Amino acid sequence: MGLLGPSGSGKSSLLALLAGVEHPTQGHVQVNGVRLDGLSADALALFRRQHLGIVFQDFHLVPTLTAWENVALPLDLAGQPESRPRALEMLARMGLAPRSNHRPGELSGGEQQRVAIARAFISRPALILADEPTGNLDQDTSRQVIDLLFSCAAQWGSTLFLVTHDPQLAQRADRCLRLVDGQLTDLPAPMEQA
């Protein structure tokens, strides 16, 4: 699903609600059949670890960890075995096997974002929240990153919820919404290409 809207329209706030980081002032938030508004902080953290992957515009990698350690982190926090081989396999899927022992500061922006994508998908979550994942990247790198996001979501059956300012990018999604003045509206489906 793609989400478009002007700056300040609440797109990032909506993602924060879906991630259970922010709490609604009214109503409730339900994700993957679970109401988030009544969960404790520990239950929310467990829910995120089991059901969500998040890709940020600014990568949010741990600077002191190598690429493979950043990718393995969600598995390590969950106490899952074989985190290193799984992280290395995921980095290979991202085309980053030779860069697995590099720290974020030694990687390009595109490489850092691919590490972040690998980390988001390592647990095969039901939902991937991507907040302007190409905002800091050049056009060619952006295309590669978006192709990876969509192909990984399709491969592992994850729902991709993509926030962007780019209408063409949002139209790649099966469904596209616009958020303006607190109102979500459906945008017409992209026309089938001949």
Side-chain angles (χ1 to χ4, degrees):
M1 180 178 312
L3 178 63
L4 285 166
S7 293
S9 64
K11 299 181 305 293
S12 294
S13 295
L14 178 57
L15 285 188
L17 286 167
L18 293 173
V21 176
E22 296 289 334
H23 304 286
T25 54
Q26 1 177 336
H28 66 275
V29 177
Q30 185 170 319
V31 177
N32 204 30
V34 176
R35 276 190 59 175
L36 303 185
D37 48 289
L39 297 180
S40 68
D42 288 343
L44 275 169
L46 180 62
F47 174 82
R48 281 190 290 271
R49 188 169 59 222
Q50 293 175 341
H51 300 283
L52 295 181
I54 303 174
V55 180
F56 300 96
Q57 178 177 343
D58 295 324
F59 321 128
H60 292 287
L61 300 175
V62 180
T64 57
L65 299 180
T66 64
W68 79 261
E69 290 168 331
N70 267 283
V71 175
L73 189 59
L75 300 177
D76 292 338
L77 291 172
Q80 294 187 18
E82 303 294 318
S83 64
R84 183 173 189 195
R86 288 176 60 190
L88 291 172
E89 178 183 334
M90 194 64 133
L91 284 170
R93 167 77 171 82
M94 300 291 140
L96 292 173
R99 310 289 280 162
S100 63
N101 285 314
H102 289 75
R103 297 194 193 308
E106 302 167 321
L107 301 172
S108 71
E111 289 171 333
Q112 289 182 61
Q113 193 61 296
R114 286 185 282 157
V115 171
I117 291 168
R119 181 185 58 194
F121 279 100
I122 192 71
S123 299
R124 308 296 190 267
L127 177 61
I128 296 289
L129 302 174
D131 193 2
E132 295 284 353
T134 60
N136 289 333
L137 305 174
D138 63 66
Q139 189 172 11
D140 288 338
T141 305
S142 293
R143 192 175 319 109
Q144 294 170 4
V145 162
I146 290 304
D147 288 345
L148 275 172
L149 273 171
F150 278 95
S151 67
C152 287
Q155 179 178 353
W156 292 305
S158 300
T159 297
L160 176 60
F161 191 91
L162 174 72
V163 168
T164 182
H165 286 98
D166 182 351
Q168 288 181 321
L169 175 55
Q171 290 291 329
R172 282 190 61 178
D174 294 336
R175 183 176 178 195
C176 189
L177 301 171
R178 181 179 303 277
L179 182 60
V180 178
D181 296 329
Q183 298 295 313
L184 277 174
T185 56
D186 268 303
L187 292 176
M191 295 182 58
E192 295 294 324
Q193 296 186 5

